[in-house]
Amino acid sequence: VEIPAERSGLRPDWLYFARVENVSESLAQAVALGGKVVMEPRPGVVDGRLAVITDPSGAPLGLMEWDAAGAEAN
């Protein structure tokens, strides 16, 4: 993905993802363990099956529900 000229202060970076069974439950557990929600699930982003959290030290991690059977059919 190209960084737009008006956001030239951004630098490319990687975001690791973990496959979870239920994003909402995983968010609740992350918060209970001291993490923070950076991006709540939104209907327009992977049908609400994706979120981003940080651990207590601030390291980011993406969480995503992913139906492997459905992905193989595509």
Side-chain angles (χ1 to χ4, degrees):
V1 174
E2 190 172 324
I3 297 173
E6 65 272 7
R7 299 190 73 191
S8 62
L10 294 178
R11 66 177 184 82
D13 210 346
W14 289 94
L15 177 62
Y16 294 100
F17 277 82
R19 181 179 175 189
V20 297
E21 212 170 292
N22 183 297
V23 168
S24 297
E25 289 175 8
S26 297
L27 289 178
Q29 186 176 12
V31 170
L33 295 171
K36 294 181 182 174
V37 178
V38 176
M39 187 185 96
E40 294 274 347
R42 293 182 249 180
V45 180
V46 192
D47 297 325
R49 297 177 294 153
L50 182 141
V52 179
I53 61 170
T54 60
D55 71 9
S57 70
L61 177 67
L63 303 176
M64 185 172 171
E65 289 178 38
W66 176 31
D67 178 12
E72 290 173 7
N74 292 329

